[in-house]
Amino acid sequence: MKIYQSRSFEKKVKKFNKTEKKALDNQISKTVENPLIGVEKKGDLRGVYVHKFKLKTIQYLLSYRFSGEDLELIMIGPHENYYRDLNNYLKAR
Protein backbone atom coordinates (compact mmCIF):
# COMPACT_ATOMS: atom_id res chain seq x y z
CA MET A 1 0.00 0.00 0.00
CA LYS A 2 1.39 3.37 -1.02
CA ILE A 3 0.47 6.56 0.79
CA TYR A 4 -0.01 9.76 -1.21
CA GLN A 5 -0.36 13.29 0.15
CA SER A 6 -2.41 16.03 -1.43
CA ARG A 7 -0.84 19.46 -1.80
CA SER A 8 -3.21 20.84 0.84
CA PHE A 9 -2.12 18.15 3.30
CA GLU A 10 1.57 18.87 2.68
CA LYS A 11 1.13 22.60 3.30
CA LYS A 12 -0.60 22.05 6.65
CA VAL A 13 1.94 19.48 7.86
CA LYS A 14 4.84 21.83 7.11
CA LYS A 15 3.50 24.15 9.82
CA PHE A 16 3.56 21.43 12.50
CA ASN A 17 6.45 21.16 14.95
CA LYS A 18 8.42 17.94 15.55
CA THR A 19 6.23 16.54 18.33
CA GLU A 20 3.05 17.23 16.36
CA LYS A 21 4.54 15.56 13.28
CA LYS A 22 5.47 12.52 15.36
CA ALA A 23 1.93 12.28 16.75
CA LEU A 24 0.52 12.70 13.23
CA ASP A 25 2.77 9.90 11.93
CA ASN A 26 1.43 7.71 14.73
CA GLN A 27 -2.16 8.45 13.69
CA ILE A 28 -1.37 7.80 10.02
CA SER A 29 0.19 4.43 10.90
CA LYS A 30 -2.98 3.56 12.88
CA THR A 31 -5.00 4.46 9.79
CA VAL A 32 -2.83 2.24 7.59
CA GLU A 33 -3.19 -0.69 10.02
CA ASN A 34 -6.97 -0.28 10.24
CA PRO A 35 -8.27 1.76 7.27
CA LEU A 36 -11.81 1.73 8.63
CA ILE A 37 -10.80 3.62 11.80
CA GLY A 38 -12.34 6.74 10.28
CA VAL A 39 -16.00 7.33 9.52
CA GLU A 40 -17.11 7.36 5.90
CA LYS A 41 -18.95 10.54 4.98
CA LYS A 42 -22.17 10.79 3.01
CA GLY A 43 -23.50 13.01 0.26
CA ASP A 44 -20.92 15.13 -1.58
CA LEU A 45 -18.12 13.61 0.48
CA ARG A 46 -19.00 9.98 -0.29
CA GLY A 47 -15.88 7.81 -0.38
CA VAL A 48 -13.97 10.09 1.99
CA TYR A 49 -13.12 8.86 5.48
CA VAL A 50 -12.46 11.19 8.42
CA HIS A 51 -10.43 10.15 11.47
CA LYS A 52 -10.62 12.40 14.55
CA PHE A 53 -7.77 12.68 17.06
CA LYS A 54 -6.32 15.16 19.54
CA LEU A 55 -2.98 16.94 19.47
CA LYS A 56 -2.46 18.58 22.84
CA THR A 57 -5.90 20.15 23.41
CA ILE A 58 -7.00 20.64 19.81
CA GLN A 59 -9.08 18.04 18.02
CA TYR A 60 -7.85 17.48 14.47
CA LEU A 61 -9.61 15.78 11.61
CA LEU A 62 -7.67 13.74 9.07
CA SER A 63 -9.47 12.96 5.82
CA TYR A 64 -8.36 10.21 3.48
CA ARG A 65 -9.67 7.98 0.74
CA PHE A 66 -8.67 4.88 -1.14
CA SER A 67 -7.40 4.85 -4.70
CA GLY A 68 -7.42 1.15 -5.49
CA GLU A 69 -4.87 -0.33 -3.07
CA ASP A 70 -3.33 3.05 -2.22
CA LEU A 71 -4.24 5.57 0.46
CA GLU A 72 -4.53 9.28 -0.32
CA LEU A 73 -4.27 11.73 2.59
CA ILE A 74 -6.47 14.62 1.55
CA MET A 75 -6.62 17.19 4.33
CA ILE A 76 -5.88 17.79 8.00
CA GLY A 77 -7.08 20.58 10.26
CA PRO A 78 -9.19 21.59 13.25
CA HIS A 79 -12.96 21.14 13.10
CA GLU A 80 -13.81 24.79 12.37
CA ASN A 81 -14.97 25.07 8.72
CA TYR A 82 -13.24 21.76 7.99
CA TYR A 83 -16.02 20.09 6.01
CA ARG A 84 -16.73 23.24 4.00
CA ASP A 85 -13.04 23.54 3.06
CA LEU A 86 -12.82 19.82 2.29
CA ASN A 87 -15.87 19.97 0.04
CA ASN A 88 -14.48 23.03 -1.80
CA TYR A 89 -11.11 21.32 -2.24
CA LEU A 90 -12.64 18.18 -3.70
CA LYS A 91 -14.88 20.13 -6.06
CA ALA A 92 -11.91 22.13 -7.34
CA ARG A 93 -9.99 18.96 -8.26
Side-chain angles (χ1 to χ4, degrees):
M1 174 185 284
K2 290 184 180 179
I3 301 173
Y4 296 102
Q5 297 179 19
S6 70
R7 186 71 184 134
S8 171
F9 185 85
E10 285 181 39
K11 285 181 181 179
K12 296 273 183 164
V13 171
K14 278 186 180 181
K15 297 178 184 177
F16 284 12
N17 63 33
K18 276 189 175 183
T19 57
E20 291 172 333
K21 285 182 183 179
K22 194 170 248 185
L24 176 61
D25 286 343
N26 185 21
Q27 294 299 323
I28 291 172
S29 64
K30 282 184 183 179
T31 304
V32 170
E33 289 172 15
N34 181 10
L36 301 177
I37 197 169
V39 178
E40 184 175 9
K41 295 299 158 187
K42 298 176 183 169
D44 290 345
L45 300 176
R46 183 174 292 135
V48 176
Y49 292 81
V50 175
H51 172 57
K52 297 179 181 180
F53 63 96
K54 280 197 172 197
L55 286 179
K56 296 182 183 174
T57 59
I58 301 171
Q59 182 175 11
Y60 279 90
L61 283 74
L62 168 67
S63 59
Y64 61 95
R65 65 180 166 191
F66 300 101
S67 305
E69 294 267 327
D70 302 331
L71 183 72
E72 178 188 6
L73 302 172
I74 303 169
M75 191 181 227
I76 187 168
H79 193 278
E80 187 176 344
N81 298 326
Y82 182 81
Y83 291 107
R84 181 197 66 193
D85 295 343
L86 177 61
N87 198 9
N88 290 341
Y89 178 79
L90 291 175
K91 283 183 179 179
R93 286 182 69 185

